[in-house]
Amino acid sequence: MTTHIPRKRFGQHFLHDRGVILRIVQAIDPRPGQRIVEIGPGLGALTLPVLERCKRMDVVELDRDVIPHLIAACEGRGELVVHQVDALQFRFADLAGPDERLRVIGNLPYNISTPLMFHLFDQTRDDRPVISDMTFMLQLEVCQRLAAAPNTEHYGRLSVMAQYHARIEFLFHVGRGAFNPPPRVESGIVRLTPHGEPPVDVGDKGLFDRMVAQAFNMRRKTLRNGLKGFVDAAGFEAAGIDPVRRPETLSLEEFATLSRVACGSGLARDGGLIASKLAPTDEAP
């Protein structure tokens, strides 16, 4: 019988609800020959049924004390390769062969879920993603923010930046009772499918990142005031965007248009970088 005690510092909440586990496995639909990588397998609640279907898995687990329990539980189910490392420091791209792409799954620690997703978006080869899709358990509010559309309650910087990198599908809600110990927040399952090519032309990706960050740092201000140092009156006119609008009303495509305008204006080079460093961020990434 497993006696491992969940550790708060690792954000451990072990999934135990059989119905929820089955539903997640069905959503993943693992098959032999696929390169599946699980982040934070814990005691193997999701690992076991996935490994039985795909026959080989890589798992990334930081807590060395949980690994013996995991290996024992998976014995005879298939080939399990354990990487005892911090997922934020791990090069997932190294797991994929020249013609392979990874499928990444996991119940992510909620305290690092956003930076971890963006670390995964950066896993590329020849400027193309090496990850075909990611299916994650996340805090419900993060799922809602990832998938949010403009002019909705949860739309913000995370929505814009995640949707630039991937197609987002919210799959289903998971209650607190599915875990031991129960977390303080509700959870959800989300699928992220990285784009093969960027869905929009932003001109300069670094400038786009800074501009979106500043816009939502000052989300109570109009674009005219919030994007000072990036876009002037002539720029808004060229983009066809009303400067009295607020950032939460703009689509990804409209932010991309403003970014292209800012690239050619010279304003962002003069003031945008300084302004974005001074403004505190209101949300990840």
Side-chain angles (χ1 to χ4, degrees):
M1 183 176 178
T2 298
T3 58
H4 183 80
I5 299 173
R7 295 183 174 180
K8 186 175 182 180
R9 70 188 180 97
F10 290 139
Q12 290 177 338
H13 297 276
F14 296 130
L15 186 63
H16 67 81
D17 187 302
R18 297 292 181 186
V20 172
I21 293 168
L22 177 60
R23 198 173 176 190
I24 297 171
V25 174
Q26 289 173 335
I28 297 168
D29 190 21
R31 302 185 183 188
Q34 295 178 338
R35 287 302 302 268
I36 296 181
V37 184
E38 183 180 7
I39 298 173
L43 298 174
L46 184 59
T47 316
L48 269 65
V50 172
L51 183 60
E52 287 177 339
R53 288 162 176 78
C54 68
K55 303 306 179 185
R56 185 193 186 282
M57 286 178 66
D58 290 89
V59 297
V60 179
E61 175 58 62
L62 179 58
D63 184 0
R64 69 182 63 194
D65 292 335
V66 84
I67 291 174
H69 300 292
L70 175 67
I71 292 174
C74 292
E75 187 175 357
R77 309 293 183 101
E79 181 183 356
L80 185 72
V81 181
V82 180
H83 306 270
Q84 196 271 309
V85 65
D86 183 346
L88 282 169
Q89 307 300 322
F90 188 62
R91 270 193 53 82
F92 289 82
D94 291 343
L95 297 179
D99 299 317
E100 288 183 321
R101 298 185 74 195
L102 308 176
R103 303 190 68 204
V104 184
I105 65 174
N107 174 17
L108 300 190
Y110 291 173
N111 57 333
I112 63 165
S113 62
T114 297
L116 184 49
M117 282 186 286
F118 281 84
H119 174 62
L120 292 165
F121 289 143
D122 287 339
Q123 302 300 302
T124 61
R125 180 184 294 117
D126 299 326
D127 295 325
R128 296 182 64 83
V130 298
I131 297 173
S132 62
D133 68 291
M134 300 177 264
T135 303
F136 292 141
M137 175 96 70
L138 299 170
Q139 183 176 341
L140 181 60
E141 182 182 350
V142 174
C143 293
Q144 292 168 328
R145 286 164 55 197
L146 287 168
N151 269 320
T152 60
E153 177 186 359
H154 296 285
Y155 187 71
R157 180 188 176 196
L158 180 59
S159 315
V160 175
M161 299 309 302
Q163 290 168 30
Y164 172 80
H165 287 283
R167 180 167 59 91
I168 315 292
E169 301 171 82
F170 176 72
L171 300 181
F172 56 90
H173 167 263
V174 178
R176 303 178 193 184
F179 302 90
N180 178 38
R184 295 181 180 179
V185 297
E186 297 292 299
S187 304
I189 303 295
V190 66
R191 178 181 292 122
L192 301 89
T193 306
H195 301 300
E197 299 288 344
V200 291
D201 176 13
V202 300
D204 179 285
K205 176 60 167 49
L207 188 151
F208 174 72
D209 292 349
R210 299 193 301 270
M211 190 191 72
V212 173
Q214 179 162 307
F216 284 103
N217 286 337
M218 303 183 181
R219 63 186 304 150
R220 293 179 179 83
K221 294 187 177 182
T222 64
L223 294 171
R224 177 190 291 124
N225 294 322
L227 290 182
K228 281 182 179 178
F230 284 95
V231 185
D232 58 15
F236 284 114
E237 184 175 357
I241 293 174
D242 189 341
V244 302
R245 289 173 63 184
R246 298 187 186 276
E248 65 269 20
T249 70
L250 265 64
S251 66
L252 170 61
E253 292 77 9
E254 289 175 312
F255 273 114
T257 299
L258 286 176
S259 179
R260 293 195 303 272
V261 168
C263 281
S265 70
L267 289 175
R269 290 190 296 274
D270 297 335
L273 178 57
I274 295 172
S276 65
K277 285 184 176 178
L278 290 176
T281 56
D282 69 337
E283 61 172 308

